[in-house]
Amino acid sequence: MTTTLILVGVAIYIVASVVVAYMSRSGTAATMSDYFIGGRSMGGLVSALSYSATTYSAFMMVGLAGLTYKGGVGALGFEIVYFAGVSLVAIFGPRFWAVGKKYGFVTPSEMLGARYGSRWVAMAAAVASCIFLIPYSAVQLAGVGYLLSGMSDGAISFGAGIIVATVLAIAFSYIAGIRSVMWTDSLQALVMIVASVAVVGFVVAELGGFTALFDAVAERNPAMLTVPGPGLFSFTTFLGLTIPWFFFAISNPQVSQRLFMPASLGALRRMLMIFLAFGFVYTLVSVLWGFSAYVAFPDLANADLATSTLLASDFVPPVLGVVVMVGILAAAVSTIDSILLTLSSMVARDVYANVATRTDDRKQLMIGKLIIPIISLIALGFAAMQFSLIAVLAVAASTGLVVIVPAIVGAFFWKRGTAAGALASIVGGGIFVVAMYLTGNSILGLNAGILGFPVSAALFVVVSLATRSRTDLAEDFIATADSSLRTPGLAGRPAAA
């Protein structure tokens, strides 16, 4: 694996992605809806591939593989819990889509503000998303940095890797908004799944097959194949990681915002089914990658280098290794640019629009575009700190976002939920999570991942019961959401792939 080959692979990826991004341009994307959610006209296949590339980011082949390398089979259980949480899309997806279509929502925080009749709820959700998603963006940048520096044996520095990823994410965001992101995501998702499956087949074959691989793992450290593993996971650690991960599909706005984008309920259903198949395969591949790296290179100083070390080794044909590297780079960039668009839309729609004395859709779009590079630079600075074990940092970000979940659940299923309750759960729960991380992250042996959700849920329920609800808003909103499950007419026109 030569540095020249790596650079050629990155260059081909950049050229191909830029061409696809420009080809995706449709009109001028002159409104918030067009630029940030594709005018609610995206088809099922493109939505599914983009959803997959955004969700299964550098976290998987770098983070989850590293977590498997260090924590054994517990990492598979951790990711399977997330996979089970995707079932929430079947419950909330049609409801998000229906209310988005009727009321014209662009962001999930705008939806919450409208449901509870409070601009403060919308602003709180948007600010909380910014606080916790910027570290998650940094995780993706760090994944690219570790990947390129590890594969080139340091010839490409960690800093150069994160800068390349940042520039690409900004470029794809600006070319055509969410349309360019979704079409480049689709290309990236296909590269990811085909190349990763092919490479894991090569590596396992080189190690003697699946039986030989797991025999070698068991011989070196039997605890790697037993629950809870060789020491990284305990029961409380596992719960702290998996509870926030279970709610990822609705707590992370860069994911839930995509529920507004399909052209029809049929397109939404196709998106979910294709995504589930993609995710199942990619999860198994990432875990097998971690075990293979453990057998081949058992003494790595940093578990997050497992993937790059294996790709640069003799176990993988150089050209195929570069293809996988490009797939991981693409996955990270797809997540970053999606987060950039989501956060910039939330700042424009839910912060700026609620504090500005005079604003309109055009001004909001201008503010959203101005915010993109600012958020990118903040994430770049965060990534430069080079935190270890990026999978844990990714979950820490989701721990903060889980405090928004009670307000989301209440929006669709509890008419008694109030603006004060939603605000208390988001602000109070967010402060609680941050305070725990700053003061040792443990109360009675329980960490923020375990306590964040129940604390925010308790705040939501107690404060809602003590305050007056807007039953008129609640009844109309919930009726609209429920109508998606029984009114075929809401499905709209059929969507092309």
Side-chain angles (χ1 to χ4, degrees), residues 319-469:
V319 173
L320 194 54
V322 168
V323 172
V324 174
M325 178 207 71
V326 167
I328 299 172
L329 167 63
V333 171
S334 73
T335 298
I336 300 163
D337 53 28
S338 294
I339 291 174
L340 289 180
L341 286 171
T342 295
L343 293 185
S344 61
S345 67
M346 295 173 87
V347 170
R349 193 78 159 186
D350 306 311
V351 179
Y352 168 75
N354 282 319
V355 298
T357 54
R358 297 180 65 182
T359 184
D360 56 25
D361 194 81
R362 181 183 60 81
K363 289 182 179 179
Q364 292 173 27
L365 180 58
M366 179 186 70
I367 293 297
K369 290 181 177 181
L370 290 175
I371 291 295
I372 289 173
I374 296 173
I375 296 174
S376 302
L377 291 175
I378 296 173
L380 181 65
F382 206 97
M385 298 179 187
Q386 295 192 46
F387 291 97
S388 62
L389 209 56
I390 65 174
V392 176
L393 181 59
V395 176
S398 290
T399 299
L401 291 171
V402 82
V403 302
I404 304 175
V405 170
I408 294 174
V409 175
F412 291 105
F413 295 105
W414 194 37
K415 295 179 182 180
R416 188 65 182 80
T418 69
L423 194 61
S425 66
I426 295 170
V427 176
I431 292 173
F432 173 79
V433 168
V434 171
M436 283 201 68
Y437 275 110
L438 293 178
T439 58
N441 193 26
S442 179
I443 296 178
L444 300 177
L446 303 178
N447 58 41
I450 298 175
L451 297 177
F453 177 71
V455 166
S456 61
L459 287 171
F460 177 65
V461 172
V462 171
V463 175
S464 289
L465 291 175
T467 53
R468 181 175 297 179
S469 65

Side-chain angles (χ1 to χ4, degrees), residues 48 51-53 55-56 60-61 64 75-77 79-87 192-193 196-197 200 271-289:
Y51 193 100
S52 299
T55 301
Y56 291 118
M60 293 294 286
M61 286 293 283
L64 184 59
L76 174 61
E79 188 62 21
I80 289 298
V81 170
Y82 162 75
F83 195 69
V86 176
S87 61
M192 287 162 55
I193 195 68
S196 60
V197 170
V200 84
M271 179 188 82
L272 177 59
M273 297 305 296
I274 296 171
F275 169 76
L276 288 172
F278 185 104
F280 180 72
V281 173
Y282 208 56
T283 296
L284 294 181
V285 166
S286 299
V287 171
L288 285 171
W289 197 258

Side-chain angles (χ1 to χ4, degrees), residues 92-101 259-260 262-265 268 490-492:
F92 288 91
R95 291 176 165 89
F96 266 76
W97 182 86
V99 296
K101 184 177 180 68
L259 301 177
F260 295 142
S264 67
L265 280 175
L268 177 66
L490 271 180

